[in-house]
Coordinates of all heavy atoms in Angstrom, one line a residue:
E18 N -45.0 -62.1 195.9 CA -44.3 -60.9 195.6 C -44.9 -59.7 196.4 O -44.1 -58.9 196.9 CB -44.4 -60.6 194.1 CG -43.6 -61.5 193.2 CD -43.8 -61.2 191.7 OE1 -44.6 -60.2 191.4 OE2 -43.3 -61.9 190.9
H26 N -41.5 -53.0 203.0 CA -42.0 -51.7 203.4 C -42.1 -51.6 204.9 O -41.7 -50.6 205.5 CB -43.4 -51.6 202.8 CG -44.2 -50.4 203.3 ND1 -44.0 -49.1 202.8 CD2 -45.2 -50.3 204.2 CE1 -44.8 -48.3 203.5 NE2 -45.6 -49.0 204.3
V29 N -38.6 -51.1 206.5 CA -38.1 -49.7 206.4 C -38.7 -48.8 207.5 O -38.0 -48.1 208.1 CB -38.4 -49.2 205.0 CG1 -38.1 -47.7 204.9 CG2 -37.6 -49.9 203.9
F39 N -33.4 -44.7 219.3 CA -32.0 -44.7 219.8 C -31.4 -43.3 219.8 O -30.6 -43.0 220.7 CB -31.2 -45.7 219.0 CG -31.2 -47.1 219.5 CD1 -32.0 -48.1 218.8 CD2 -30.5 -47.5 220.6 CE1 -32.1 -49.4 219.3 CE2 -30.6 -48.8 221.1 CZ -31.4 -49.7 220.4
Y40 N -31.7 -42.5 218.8 CA -31.1 -41.2 218.8 C -31.6 -40.3 220.0 O -30.9 -39.7 220.6 CB -31.5 -40.5 217.4 CG -31.2 -39.0 217.4 CD1 -29.8 -38.6 217.2 CD2 -32.2 -38.1 217.5 CE1 -29.5 -37.3 217.2 CE2 -31.8 -36.7 217.5 CZ -30.5 -36.3 217.3 OH -30.2 -35.0 217.2
T47 N -27.0 -38.5 227.3 CA -25.7 -37.7 227.3 C -26.0 -36.2 227.6 O -25.0 -35.4 227.6 CB -25.1 -37.8 225.9 OG1 -26.0 -37.4 224.9 CG2 -24.6 -39.3 225.6
N48 N -27.2 -35.8 227.8 CA -27.5 -34.4 228.0 C -27.2 -34.1 229.5 O -27.6 -34.7 230.4 CB -29.0 -34.2 227.7 CG -29.4 -32.7 227.9 OD1 -28.5 -31.9 227.9 ND2 -30.7 -32.5 228.0
V56 N -42.9 -29.0 233.8 CA -43.8 -30.0 234.4 C -44.7 -30.7 233.4 O -45.3 -31.7 233.7 CB -44.6 -29.4 235.5 CG1 -43.7 -28.9 236.7 CG2 -45.4 -28.2 235.1
E60 N -47.0 -29.6 223.5 CA -46.5 -29.7 222.1 C -45.9 -31.0 221.9 O -46.2 -31.7 220.9 CB -45.6 -28.6 221.8 CG -46.2 -27.2 221.8 CD -46.2 -26.6 223.2 OE1 -45.8 -27.3 224.1 OE2 -46.8 -25.5 223.3
P79 N -51.1 -50.7 203.3 CA -50.6 -51.8 202.5 C -50.9 -53.1 203.1 O -51.1 -54.1 202.4 CB -49.1 -51.6 202.6 CG -48.9 -50.1 202.9 CD -50.1 -49.7 203.7
L84 N -54.0 -58.2 202.5 CA -55.0 -59.1 203.1 C -56.2 -59.4 202.1 O -56.6 -60.5 202.0 CB -55.6 -58.5 204.4 CG -56.6 -59.3 205.2 CD1 -56.1 -60.5 205.6 CD2 -57.2 -58.4 206.3
Y85 N -56.6 -58.4 201.5 CA -57.7 -58.6 200.5 C -57.2 -59.4 199.3 O -58.0 -60.2 198.7 CB -58.3 -57.3 200.0 CG -59.3 -56.7 201.0 CD1 -59.0 -55.7 201.9 CD2 -60.6 -57.2 201.0 CE1 -59.9 -55.2 202.8 CE2 -61.5 -56.7 201.9 CZ -61.2 -55.7 202.8 OH -62.1 -55.2 203.6
E88 N -57.2 -63.1 200.3 CA -58.6 -63.7 200.4 C -59.4 -63.6 199.1 O -60.5 -64.2 199.0 CB -59.4 -62.9 201.5 CG -58.8 -63.0 202.8 CD -58.8 -64.4 203.4 OE1 -59.7 -65.1 203.0 OE2 -58.0 -64.7 204.3
V100 N -57.3 -83.0 201.3 CA -57.7 -83.4 202.6 C -56.5 -83.8 203.4 O -55.7 -84.6 203.0 CB -58.7 -84.5 202.5 CG1 -59.2 -84.9 203.9 CG2 -59.9 -84.2 201.7
S107 N -54.3 -86.1 200.8 CA -54.9 -86.6 199.6 C -55.5 -85.5 198.8 O -55.9 -84.5 199.3 CB -56.1 -87.6 200.0 OG -57.0 -86.9 200.8
D115 N -62.5 -88.8 188.4 CA -61.6 -90.0 188.9 C -60.1 -89.6 188.9 O -59.3 -90.5 188.6 CB -61.8 -91.2 188.0 CG -63.3 -91.7 188.1 OD1 -63.9 -91.5 189.2 OD2 -63.7 -92.3 187.1
F121 N -47.8 -89.4 200.0 CA -47.0 -89.8 201.2 C -45.5 -89.4 201.0 O -45.0 -89.3 199.9 CB -47.0 -91.3 201.4 CG -48.4 -91.9 201.8 CD1 -49.3 -92.2 200.9 CD2 -48.7 -92.0 203.1 CE1 -50.5 -92.7 201.2 CE2 -50.0 -92.5 203.5 CZ -50.9 -92.8 202.5
P142 N -50.7 -76.6 186.4 CA -50.2 -75.8 185.3 C -49.8 -74.4 185.7 O -50.5 -73.8 186.5 CB -51.3 -75.7 184.3 CG -52.5 -75.9 185.1 CD -52.2 -76.7 186.3
S153 N -59.9 -81.3 206.5 CA -59.2 -82.3 207.2 C -60.2 -83.4 207.6 O -61.4 -83.2 207.8 CB -58.5 -81.7 208.4 OG -58.0 -82.8 209.2
F181 N -54.2 -69.0 194.0 CA -52.8 -68.6 193.6 C -52.6 -68.7 192.1 O -53.4 -69.4 191.4 CB -51.8 -69.3 194.5 CG -51.9 -70.8 194.3 CD1 -51.3 -71.5 193.3 CD2 -52.6 -71.5 195.3 CE1 -51.3 -72.9 193.2 CE2 -52.7 -72.9 195.2 CZ -52.1 -73.6 194.1
G191 N -43.5 -77.6 200.2 CA -44.2 -77.0 201.4 C -44.3 -78.1 202.4 O -44.0 -79.3 202.2
P205 N -45.1 -83.8 203.9 CA -44.7 -82.6 203.0 C -45.7 -82.4 201.9 O -46.5 -83.3 201.6 CB -43.3 -83.0 202.6 CG -43.3 -84.5 202.6 CD -44.2 -84.9 203.7
A215 N -48.4 -80.0 179.0 CA -47.9 -81.1 179.8 C -48.9 -81.5 180.9 O -49.1 -82.7 181.2 CB -46.6 -80.7 180.4
L217 N -52.3 -81.2 180.6 CA -53.3 -82.0 180.0 C -52.9 -83.4 179.6 O -53.7 -84.4 179.6 CB -53.8 -81.2 178.7 CG -54.5 -79.9 179.0 CD1 -54.9 -79.2 177.7 CD2 -55.8 -80.1 179.9
S221 N -54.6 -86.8 180.9 CA -55.1 -87.9 179.9 C -54.5 -89.3 180.3 O -55.1 -90.3 179.9 CB -54.6 -87.5 178.5 OG -53.2 -87.5 178.4
A222 N -53.5 -89.3 181.1 CA -52.9 -90.6 181.5 C -53.8 -91.3 182.5 O -53.7 -92.5 182.7 CB -51.5 -90.4 182.1
Y224 N -57.0 -91.7 182.0 CA -58.2 -92.2 181.3 C -57.8 -93.3 180.3 O -56.7 -93.4 179.9 CB -58.9 -91.1 180.6 CG -59.5 -90.0 181.6 CD1 -58.8 -88.8 181.7 CD2 -60.6 -90.2 182.3 CE1 -59.3 -87.8 182.6 CE2 -61.1 -89.3 183.2 CZ -60.4 -88.0 183.3 OH -60.9 -87.1 184.2

Side-chain angles (χ1 to χ4, degrees):
E18 290 177 0
H26 170 80
V29 168
F39 271 103
Y40 172 75
T47 58
N48 185 16
V56 294
E60 295 81 4
L84 179 63
Y85 278 99
E88 298 293 334
V100 180
S107 60
D115 297 331
F121 292 89
S153 172
F181 55 85
L217 294 177
S221 64
Y224 299 101

